[in-house]
Amino acid sequence: MPVFIGQDVTRIDALDKVLGRAAFAYDLKTDDMLFACVVRSEKPHALIKKIETARALSMEGVAAVLTHIDIPGENSFGAIKKDQQFLAKDRVRYVGEPIAVVVGVNEEVARKASGFVRIEYEELQVISDPFVSMTSPVLIHDEGNLLSHRKVIKGDIEKGFNESDVIVENTYRTTWVDHAYMETEAGLGYMDDDGRIVVVSSTQNIHYKMKEISRMLAMPPERVRVIQATTGGGFGGKLDVTVEGFLALCVYHLKRTVVMRFTREESFLAQTKRHPLHIEYKTGARKDGSINAVRVNITGDTGPYISYGETVCLRAAVHATGPYEVPNVHVDSRMFYTNNPVAGAMRGFGVPQLAFAHESQLDKIAGILNMDPLDIRIKNALRRGSLTATSQALEHSAGLPETLKRIEPFWRSRERQNDRRGFGLGCMYYGIGNTGVSNPSDCYLTFMPEGRIALHSGVCEIGQGSDTVLMQILCESLAMDDEKIVLLRGDTDTSRDAGSSSASRQTYISGMAVCDAAQKMKKYLEKEGYYSGRPLTDICEAALGKGDAMFEGHFDPPTTPVDMETSRGAPYATYAFATHMTEVEVNEVTGACRVVKVHAAHDVGRAVNVKNVRGQICGGIAMGIGLALMEEFSPGKSKSLDDYYMPTSMDMPEVEAIIVEDREPTGPYGAKGVGEPALIPQAASIVNAIKDATGVEARELPCHIERLKLLLEARRQK
Amino acid sequence: MKTISFILNGKKTVVEVRDSETLLYALRERLGITSVKEGCEIGECGTCTVLIDDEPHYSCMTLASKANGSDVKTVEFLGTADLLHPLQEAFINSGAVQCGYCTPGMLLSAYSLLLKNKDPDTDDIREAISGNLCRCTGYIQIVEAIKDAAGLCKHNS
Ligand code: FES
Ligand code: FES
């Protein structure tokens, strides 16, 4: 029997994609469809006095102008809490907040008409800084401007610092980053023959969106169907409801097929961003380099709505020490509301920002103690048996020491080709799955009349390769060729809730759900003689005749909720670990930094598909380069790809991906996850390499050309 | 409106377009070629890349009328499921495809490069695709794929 796990199995979606025939949402548009676009707030904070739609409505070709009064059910959505309105009723809290939807016979008509929807505002005082928000009498929400305050407390922080020989204290800042997936948010909606609402969209989660639509329309979820179109990237930005609610509302009222697509400008203006964090970081270490105390104060700008702000707040806190065993920890992580863009989920949920801080701190300590940056990491690395910052004992897969070991020969033999070059290290750990909460995945297998097996999967393939990986896991579990298996995917009608494609969770969690279903089916197949040669067609027919047709799979990673005061607990069932070593070359005159080479060692538990894992690593490195050196979203200024710089092929280094497989016993064939880990340590390693090359310490990201030039000039003047 | 005629993927094509219309619009909306993607509409991302007389162009920045009398190629020209172009084959085999949104444009830029340079090195390839953004792959496996395809093409010719 062929082996599927660990093989370079070809992606099942690649053929359609290279032929140009993969159908992304907007490719499904036909001439008879209506086009809908959104009228958005021009004010960052205002009361809505009046919404004038008559003029737009009277224009030729306009089918409807919908506002909050047209929402039959609840006008609210939110992944964590339902605090955001689909269409604002009496108040807006950020520029770009949706107020009305204009539907026209085509895009041109709809967009033109949307310019004639008049909104009267009464402006409110704007809060554009979390530190102002903290003490301001102006409240963005009645409950106050503090969204969330999470703490991690371990040991005795005072004592920890008192017993430290070196103390290093610095402040780090990061800014907004846009997901900038190549495909902007898009979808279409229609009413099926049974009068149900169907939405096909570019999304990272179908069942969540089905539930939101059902609440909005006050319809039972069975009356709503959500299908995932081929999705052109997600990175967290397509987790929140984007076009889906509007489409469903339009279909509800018009009973016609309606299509939507955000322009790039709209996507920049209105969609969520990576959280800007202000990180005050104090580290105490002993002479031998062991970290004895870490005190972190994180202040985040979450924008006016929650989105994933609470998640980022907590995840940043529990990962704040980095992948090191620290006996005394005190972290305060707080998110404040502002009238800036909504900050939400983006690849890493706050952890890349923290990695920048803890890795810079560690190099600083190593410098003072005259220690090699690699040695200090080896000394403090979490390993099997270690206690994390939340006092979780790492019992199983914990391959950080191995990633360090694999990097070691390259590090020890590094040589500067010229004096503008430098090398830096970055380590990370990352909890797979959602933090301290149940986050199950469900799937099922059926027999098909044509004599094959169907995997019913609700997992959203967003480019990361989950469809292929799940098929590999199923083939391996059933010891069956993929020709005998059909993947029925991404449709709420034919699948169960697998949770979102986020938090690097699908290989691990949905992979286990598939294993679970496969085990049950395998027993059945054994009994029916499949493995002793009875044809599958036969078994299928007989099984369908008897009604033995469904095998359910379920997995919920074993976690414990974390303590509200101390975050003590086991927030994740397993962690990924990584070490990146980066070489840069800095032009001392211009401030341009080029990343020359990256060695990236990742403990992924088990690489189900080596090529995909490498693809994630390379893509993560690109995004890390963007975070470190170029990507900066400034509200009001960054409007299009013209004024938002992200890595091109010219910015990429040579990459050596090193895969470490410290198998995770609770994962499918030992696998964990890699999507976010690939990005997390990259910016940190670049900043450390810049320091090595130039002596300059960047404390604010991105360290783009102008900023680095100023830092270099300042150093020269000293 | 005016009538333009050009060769599209080897076939003579006649279509009515507005004066101000982009080639991107004409291809997608009038001719149903949805492999030509839109990512920005301002000539920054390259997802709308087409070849005009074998040179890559951003179709969002090109007036449809400019295609009049020329040879236009989209990814459909390269190959079919039964007969893939070596570039397509290499993209599949090298892991150069993730979400796939940049893929058609990327393939066309690569195709144009290989017409001019049978033996491109890494820098040539990077340069050739520098106008095509990809948010997923980090370009590494794309560059590898193009290099592999160049080898294959040489071998075949
Ligand atoms: S859509 Fe033409 S370059 Fe982006
Ligand atoms: S594969 Fe997603 S943008 Fe290139």
Side-chain angles (χ1 to χ4, degrees):
Chain A
M1 206 53 219
V3 180
F4 295 90
I5 300 294
Q7 300 303 303
D8 275 342
V9 170
T10 300
R11 289 180 64 116
I12 59 181
D13 51 349
L15 180 66
D16 281 342
K17 287 174 176 176
V18 299
L19 289 171
R21 68 185 186 194
F24 294 85
Y26 200 61
D27 300 339
L28 300 167
K29 178 174 143 335
T30 54
D31 280 349
D32 51 349
M33 292 181 191
L34 299 171
F35 188 95
C37 66
V38 184
V39 178
R40 299 177 180 279
S41 170
E42 289 169 347
K43 307 289 174 203
H45 200 191
L47 298 176
I48 298 176
K49 289 284 144 195
K50 203 163 165 197
I51 307 173
E52 271 279 350
T53 60
R55 179 113 186 262
L57 201 49
S58 70
M59 290 176 68
E60 197 178 320
V62 172
V65 180
L66 304 172
T67 65
H68 65 91
I69 52 170
D70 299 300
I71 294 177
E74 288 169 46
N75 183 13
S76 65
F77 72 93
I80 310 292
K81 283 183 192 139
K82 313 291 171 203
D83 70 328
Q84 208 164 342
Q85 299 188 328
F86 284 102
L87 293 170
K89 185 173 167 229
D90 40 29
R91 184 166 170 187
V92 285
R93 295 179 174 87
Y94 72 98
V95 176
E97 184 161 355
I99 298 173
V101 179
V102 177
V103 194
V105 288
N106 58 37
E107 177 164 5
E108 205 182 332
V109 167
R111 291 213 191 273
K112 189 164 168 216
S114 68
F116 288 96
V117 175
R118 286 268 162 276
I119 318 286
E120 262 177 45
Y121 302 97
E122 181 186 318
E123 292 191 47
L124 298 170
Q125 203 177 317
V126 176
I127 298 180
S128 53
D129 183 316
F131 289 96
V132 175
S133 175
M134 212 176 264
T135 51
S136 174
V138 178
L139 296 185
I140 293 178
H141 294 283
D142 295 345
E143 315 79 69
N145 288 344
L146 176 68
L147 159 62
S148 174
H149 180 180
R150 300 301 298 244
K151 291 177 229 164
V152 177
I153 296 170
K154 179 187 179 192
D156 180 341
I157 192 70
E158 290 309 320
K159 196 160 157 264
F161 282 117
N162 287 338
E163 291 171 357
S164 294
D165 301 309
V166 207
I167 292 177
V168 166
E169 203 169 352
N170 286 298
T171 300
Y172 301 87
R173 267 185 296 266
T174 69
T175 190
W176 293 278
V177 173
D178 195 86
H179 304 86
Y181 18 69
M182 286 297 102
E183 182 211 25
T184 57
E185 300 76 3
L188 64 90
Y190 60 89
M191 191 165 269
D192 71 10
D193 295 341
D194 300 324
R196 299 192 319 155
I197 307 275
V198 185
V199 169
V200 184
S201 74
S202 178
T203 177
Q204 297 181 240
N205 43 16
I206 47 174
H207 287 83
Y208 162 68
K209 284 174 183 167
M210 175 181 76
K211 285 177 227 155
E212 293 288 32
I213 292 169
S214 118
R215 283 178 47 258
M216 179 188 71
L217 297 180
M219 274 182 158
E222 317 75 83
R223 302 291 298 157
V224 179
R225 177 181 180 188
V226 177
I227 300 170
Q228 188 204 12
T230 305
T231 295
F235 314 113
K238 292 171 184 172
L239 288 170
D240 289 292
V241 183
T242 63
V243 295
E244 294 88 357
F246 306 132
L247 286 167
L249 187 65
C250 293
V251 174
Y252 176 90
H253 286 285
L254 297 166
K255 303 188 172 46
R256 294 211 20 212
T257 304
V258 180
V259 62
M260 279 183 98
R261 180 202 48 161
F262 290 173
T263 61
R264 178 61 64 186
E265 288 70 15
E266 208 174 354
S267 181
F268 268 121
L269 177 74
Q271 294 312 119
T272 60
K273 309 282 175 263
R274 180 183 293 289
H275 279 79
L277 297 184
H278 178 104
I279 305 162
E280 294 158 24
Y281 208 116
K282 183 173 168 188
T283 312
R286 294 181 193 267
K287 269 200 214 80
D288 65 355
S290 55
I291 309 170
N292 203 37
V294 164
R295 172 83 175 90
V296 192
N297 203 355
I298 305 165
T299 308
D301 180 343
T302 208
Y305 297 107
I306 301 173
S307 176
Y308 283 80
E310 282 186 355
T311 315
V312 171
C313 185
L314 177 59
R315 196 182 267 272
V318 303
H319 288 81
T321 58
Y324 308 110
E325 183 148 18
V326 185
N328 305 295
V329 181
H330 187 122
V331 183
D332 282 287
S333 178
R334 293 178 303 162
M335 291 286 172
F336 291 93
Y337 291 120
T338 67
N339 298 111
N340 289 324
V342 181
M346 184 172 179
R347 203 174 190 177
F349 289 98
V351 184
Q353 295 95 307
L354 265 297
F356 158 50
H358 61 66
E359 291 306 278
S360 299
Q361 289 287 104
L362 207 52
D363 267 26
K364 190 80 189 162
I365 300 237
I368 294 169
L369 293 173
N370 227 340
M371 245 179 124
D372 184 284
L374 184 74
D375 292 333
I376 199 167
R377 286 173 171 84
I378 293 171
K379 175 152 202 80
N380 291 288
L382 287 172
R383 58 198 75 222
R384 202 155 303 174
S386 296
L387 284 188
T388 67
T390 68
S391 303
Q392 176 177 0
L394 296 177
E395 283 158 10
H396 304 300
S397 170
L400 182 62
E402 185 62 22
T403 65
L404 286 159
K405 208 164 122 199
R406 297 286 294 279
I407 291 292
E408 187 163 7
F410 303 107
W411 180 257
R412 303 267 187 236
S413 63
R414 72 194 188 280
E415 246 176 73
R416 282 210 183 103
Q417 263 183 33
N418 59 53
D419 58 7
R420 287 160 295 155
R421 295 249 173 133
F423 297 85
L425 292 172
C427 292
M428 74 101 226
Y429 79 138
Y430 189 78
I432 301 297
N434 301 356
T435 311
V437 291
S438 160
N439 64 130
S441 175
D442 287 276
C443 68
Y444 60 97
L445 298 169
T446 57
F447 291 115
M448 302 285 281
E450 80 261 25
R452 293 198 290 172
I453 281 161
L455 167 57
H456 297 256
S457 167
V459 175
C460 285
E461 166 70 75
I462 53 175
Q464 84 282 39
S466 56
D467 279 355
T468 309
V469 161
L470 294 178
M471 283 291 274
Q472 283 177 263
I473 290 171
L474 182 59
C475 290
E476 182 86 19
S477 307
L478 292 177
M480 189 182 279
D481 239 312
D482 60 345
E483 271 151 42
K484 296 194 177 120
I485 302 173
V486 197
L487 177 66
L488 297 177
R489 58 165 315 282
D491 181 342
T492 55
D493 263 12
T494 60
S495 68
R496 300 254 169 88
D497 194 350
S500 295
S501 291
S502 67
S504 303
R505 61 184 288 287
Q506 291 296 17
T507 297
Y508 174 60
I509 300 177
S510 294
M512 279 309 280
V514 168
C515 281
D516 183 37
Q519 254 161 36
K520 293 171 191 162
M521 180 175 254
K522 192 170 182 195
K523 273 205 197 103
Y524 185 89
L525 290 172
E526 266 161 8
K527 196 176 80 208
E528 295 297 317
Y530 172 73
Y531 298 102
S532 35
R534 186 172 167 209
L536 185 60
T537 39
D538 241 38
I539 298 172
C540 279
E541 201 178 318
L544 287 168
K546 282 189 278 186
D548 287 345
M550 192 190 273
F551 302 86
E552 297 172 332
H554 171 87
F555 182 68
D556 193 0
T559 62
T560 62
V562 295
D563 183 82
M564 277 310 284
E565 274 308 303
T566 64
S567 291
R568 242 182 115 89
Y572 311 100
T574 187
Y575 295 82
F577 298 87
T579 303
H580 285 198
M581 165 179 158
T582 296
E583 180 179 6
V584 301
E585 182 169 311
V586 178
N587 182 323
E588 294 257 351
V589 181
T590 63
C593 173
R594 185 168 70 88
V595 182
V596 179
K597 174 137 196 184
V598 176
H599 288 86
H602 281 261
D603 169 23
V604 301
R606 179 91 182 266
V608 176
N609 188 313
V610 177
K611 222 181 297 174
N612 279 10
V613 168
R614 196 166 159 256
Q616 286 301 307
I617 292 173
C618 295
I621 287 170
M623 238 180 217
I625 290 172
L627 178 67
L629 299 176
M630 53 187 91
E631 294 187 43
E632 179 169 39
F633 180 91
S634 334
K637 290 199 198 106
S638 309
K639 297 201 164 130
S640 69
L641 284 177
D642 225 358
D643 33 39
Y644 186 84
Y645 305 112
M646 53 198 239
T648 72
S649 54
M650 303 301 276
D651 300 305
M652 283 307 287
E654 201 185 314
V655 173
E656 179 120 15
I658 302 161
I659 296 174
V660 169
E661 298 185 310
D662 189 346
R663 297 202 183 164
E664 169 54 44
T666 65
Y669 298 97
K672 301 191 284 192
V674 72
E676 292 159 293
L679 155 75
I680 293 169
Q682 187 51 44
S685 70
I686 291 174
V687 168
N688 284 341
I690 292 174
K691 164 86 197 315
D692 186 47
T694 66
V696 155
E697 293 168 347
R699 300 281 183 246
E700 186 171 1
L701 296 186
C703 184
H704 51 53
I705 184 162
E706 290 100 37
R707 194 165 277 148
L708 187 50
K709 189 173 171 203
L710 287 176
L711 288 171
L712 289 163
E713 276 167 9
R715 195 215 43 193
R716 273 195 294 273
Q717 271 153 27
K718 254 198 237 154
Chain B
M1 298 292 281
K2 67 167 138 200
T3 307
I4 57 166
S5 87
F6 58 104
I7 309 292
L8 175 59
N9 296 330
K11 268 196 236 121
K12 186 165 181 207
T13 303
V14 180
V15 64
E16 279 216 22
V17 299
R18 280 180 296 188
D19 292 339
S20 60
E21 188 169 311
T22 62
L23 182 57
L24 171 66
Y25 183 91
L27 287 169
R28 284 187 64 96
E29 305 288 324
R30 300 193 190 278
L31 298 162
I33 307 274
T34 54
S35 66
V36 186
K37 305 295 180 206
E38 181 188 315
C40 70
E41 266 186 311
I42 57 165
E44 289 288 340
C45 75
T47 59
C48 67
T49 301
V50 299
L51 301 184
I52 302 178
D53 299 328
D54 288 332
E55 281 300 321
H57 286 264
Y58 293 144
S59 64
C60 70
M61 299 295 283
T62 309
L63 285 177
S65 52
K66 256 197 73 187
N68 194 27
S70 57
D71 174 80
V72 176
K73 292 187 177 86
T74 66
V75 78
E76 283 78 1
F77 179 84
L78 262 54
T80 60
D82 305 324
L83 194 63
L84 289 172
H85 187 276
L87 273 167
Q88 290 170 312
E89 198 123 16
F91 266 54
I92 293 175
N93 294 333
S94 303
V97 180
Q98 288 190 27
C99 84
Y101 201 76
C102 69
T103 307
M106 232 14 129
L107 281 165
L108 290 166
S109 291
Y111 178 84
S112 174
L113 167 72
L114 296 190
L115 288 179
K116 289 173 282 195
N117 182 349
K118 301 262 175 273
D119 199 10
D121 62 21
T122 303
D123 288 341
D124 299 330
I125 296 172
R126 286 197 176 168
E127 175 90 49
I129 59 166
S130 62
N132 295 78
L133 291 177
C134 172
R135 192 56 156 169
C136 304
T137 64
Y139 309 97
I140 305 279
Q141 285 155 309
I142 293 177
V143 172
E144 288 167 0
I146 297 170
K147 218 181 258 171
D148 285 358
L152 264 173
C153 290
K154 256 203 336 212
H155 189 78
N156 292 350
S157 60

